[in-house]
Amino acid sequence: MAGESIRVTRSVSIPRAEIDFRFSRSSGPGGQHAQKSDTRVEALFEVERSSALSEAQKRRVIAKAGPLLRAIAQDERSQWRNRELATERLVEELREALRVPRRRRPTKPSKAGVERRLEQKRRRSNVKRLRRPPE
């Protein structure tokens, strides 16, 4: 588990070793189990330190999400399960930050569309003119 990589996108995989984990006690009810076990997991990923990302990718992630990505999980009673959830959330955040937005292609309305719009305007104008009182 420690030596493997996590697939983020088709071209990016980050080593598990680059994700740091911090553990603490979960909030909320839970009795003795919650008060004695550190099941809350905080997954941290330092973008600058990563060897898996190119310089351009690092700049994109820092611009969109900042130099440190954090994901917290305290949903489950098991620390192992919370670690998996935090990792999934961190990877999703990284995936979203790496996504390149599509360029907008400006479009023009078709000739028929312009003609339809003008015809509707003429019709509407005529209806309003007919509603006016006679002069």
Side-chain angles (χ1 to χ4, degrees):
M1 182 176 162
E4 65 189 67
S5 292
I6 303 165
R7 181 68 144 237
V8 180
T9 63
R10 276 186 297 212
S11 60
V12 178
S13 292
I14 57 171
R16 278 195 188 270
E18 289 187 1
I19 299 176
D20 298 320
F21 293 101
R22 286 198 292 209
F23 307 100
S24 60
R25 295 194 178 135
S26 292
S27 63
Q32 188 174 355
H33 176 78
Q35 288 146 13
K36 296 285 183 188
S37 11
D38 290 345
T39 55
R40 179 182 183 268
V41 177
E42 185 177 3
L44 303 162
F45 178 71
E46 289 182 47
V47 179
E48 288 287 351
R49 216 180 58 176
S50 176
S51 61
L53 300 174
S54 70
E55 287 304 314
Q57 288 171 330
K58 286 179 186 179
R59 282 194 304 271
R60 176 175 287 120
V61 172
I62 289 171
K64 284 187 176 181
L68 182 71
L69 299 180
R70 275 181 51 198
I72 297 169
Q74 60 180 5
D75 311 14
E76 304 287 333
R77 283 172 56 99
S78 151
Q79 186 191 83
W80 179 83
R81 182 67 185 123
N82 281 334
R83 183 190 292 231
E84 293 299 310
L85 285 170
T87 304
E88 285 172 26
R89 291 172 187 170
L90 190 78
V91 167
E92 192 52 47
E93 198 176 330
L94 183 59
R95 187 176 292 132
E96 189 55 40
L98 282 170
R99 201 168 58 79
V100 181
R102 280 210 188 114
R103 302 266 310 158
R104 184 189 172 275
R105 217 179 258 143
T107 57
K108 282 188 341 191
S110 66
K111 245 181 188 172
V114 170
E115 196 49 54
R116 271 194 307 271
R117 192 183 112 258
L118 292 174
E119 183 53 41
Q120 279 180 331
K121 285 178 76 165
R122 276 188 221 104
R123 239 185 256 124
R124 188 83 186 130
S125 166
N126 196 26
V127 165
K128 286 187 168 199
R129 193 172 42 74
L130 290 171
R131 285 183 187 158
R132 280 190 217 144
E135 293 173 16

